Amino acid sequence: MDAAWPTSLTRFAGVIGWPVSHSLSPAMHNAAFRALGLDWAYLAFPIEPRHVEEAVRGLFRAGCAGLNVTIPHKHAVLACCDEVTPAVEAIGAANTLVPLPDGRIRGDNTDAQGFLRALDEAAPVDLAGADVLMIGAGGAARAIAFALRGRGARLRVANRTPGKAGELGEAVPFTPEAIAAAAAGAVLVVNATSLGMGSDEVPADLPVAPLGPGTVAYDIVYRREPTPWLVAAAGQGARTVDGLGMLLHQGAAAFAQWTGADPPLGAMRAGLLAS
Ligand code: ATR
């Protein structure tokens, strides 16, 4: 790295979370800045929940050019937003903060677009009027439900805590039998939980048997190797989408808003894979 870098002209962006040391966003965005020759740096800021509002305002006062927001702050940052996009209104959470020229802060949620762009890239499927099964009803699932509604899908949701499922779609009991039956009629099955993140086994609650060649299996869990569930789905002939694409495209949509530049997707993907 250039010994004279960063300089007094270097711009900065970053991600706030608690904890945040696991975040892959610095690797992805710094690779993008390098690829475009932008004199920008992207940092990870560990912010305790009780300090979120003052940290966000302070970072922007100090010239921060853009923030991503990760767990557990995606809802709390709404208190700092002077305007929010329709996606934020529908999802109730922001993952991207943009400083406007007049000093106000805009909140956006790029998770929904990230989800759809990754799907369109890896396994395009016509969702209008189509049955979709989602497993999970947490924060990521809310963004995915918004994205799927926008495409006109008929969404069924299975979640360990059943009340949350009914808020996002038609609730399906959280049993292996009910989940498998719902998956059998779906063109797209999404795992929006953290199930399978740290295991080499297919979790008992994720369906495999009904995932044939007519189905897309989409796992938002990101691991370097495909998750066991995606491996099993591919073995049945299903088309598969992994969590890397969603991570990439939600980041790319934020990058475009901060820099005004076209995101260099190849460099960003390589940055993620190298991290
Ligand atoms: P995120 O922002 O990543 O979506 P979250 O809001 O904490 O994180 O949501 C996690 C999701 O994974 C929820 O749907 C959660 O189910 P509950 O609503 O019942 O908590 C689901 N989840 C996490 N661990 C799970 C497990 N061991 N079995 C089943 N579902 C699990």
Side-chain angles (χ1 to χ4, degrees):
M1 191 170 293
D2 182 349
W5 189 87
T7 73
S8 52
L9 295 176
T10 303
R11 306 202 64 193
F12 76 101
V15 55
I16 61 165
W18 183 258
V20 75
S21 55
H22 63 280
S23 173
L24 302 175
S25 293
M28 171 169 58
H29 287 286
N30 284 318
F33 296 148
R34 279 195 296 275
L36 296 186
L38 292 177
D39 182 13
W40 285 52
Y42 186 103
L43 302 165
F45 300 107
I47 308 293
E48 276 186 58
R50 64 199 170 109
H51 292 142
V52 167
E53 211 175 318
E54 79 181 289
V56 167
R57 294 191 193 286
L59 283 164
F60 283 126
R61 286 263 180 266
C64 182
L67 284 176
N68 281 131
V69 183
T70 189
I71 292 167
H73 301 325
K74 289 184 176 189
H75 179 74
V77 295
L78 299 186
C80 309
C81 294
D82 300 294
E83 64 177 61
V84 296
T85 59
V88 171
E89 266 172 29
I91 298 163
N95 75 333
T96 299
L97 300 178
V98 183
L100 300 175
D102 60 6
R104 292 177 317 127
I105 299 170
R106 181 176 70 221
D108 191 16
N109 193 314
T110 63
D111 285 336
Q113 316 180 28
F115 173 85
L116 290 175
R117 284 189 189 162
L119 177 66
D120 294 342
E121 190 178 73
V125 57
D126 183 4
L127 293 171
D131 282 323
V132 173
L133 172 66
M134 177 164 68
I135 297 137
R142 291 187 78 84
I144 294 166
F146 170 72
L148 292 169
R149 275 199 302 273
R151 288 271 173 103
R154 279 204 305 262
L155 183 59
R156 307 183 77 191
V157 183
N159 193 54
R160 182 179 58 180
T161 308
K164 287 161 70 180
E167 291 170 19
L168 300 185
E170 182 195 329
V172 170
F174 195 72
T175 64
E177 300 74 30
I179 290 172
V187 297
L188 169 65
V189 180
V190 182
N191 174 32
T193 72
S194 47
L195 286 170
M197 191 174 264
S199 159
D200 292 333
E201 307 281 323
V202 179
D205 298 313
L206 297 184
V208 174
L211 303 178
T215 325
V216 176
Y218 193 148
D219 197 344
I220 69 159
V221 167
Y222 168 59
R223 315 199 315 182
R224 263 171 207 85
E225 305 296 319
T227 60
W229 180 61
L230 285 186
V231 172
Q236 300 278 109
R239 290 185 292 161
T240 60
V241 188
D242 64 31
L244 177 71
M246 182 169 170
L247 186 61
L248 171 70
H249 286 287
Q250 63 76 31
F255 181 95
Q257 294 187 55
W258 304 326
T259 64
D262 269 349
L265 293 174
M268 295 175 86
R269 195 185 299 269
L272 280 175
L273 291 171
S275 64

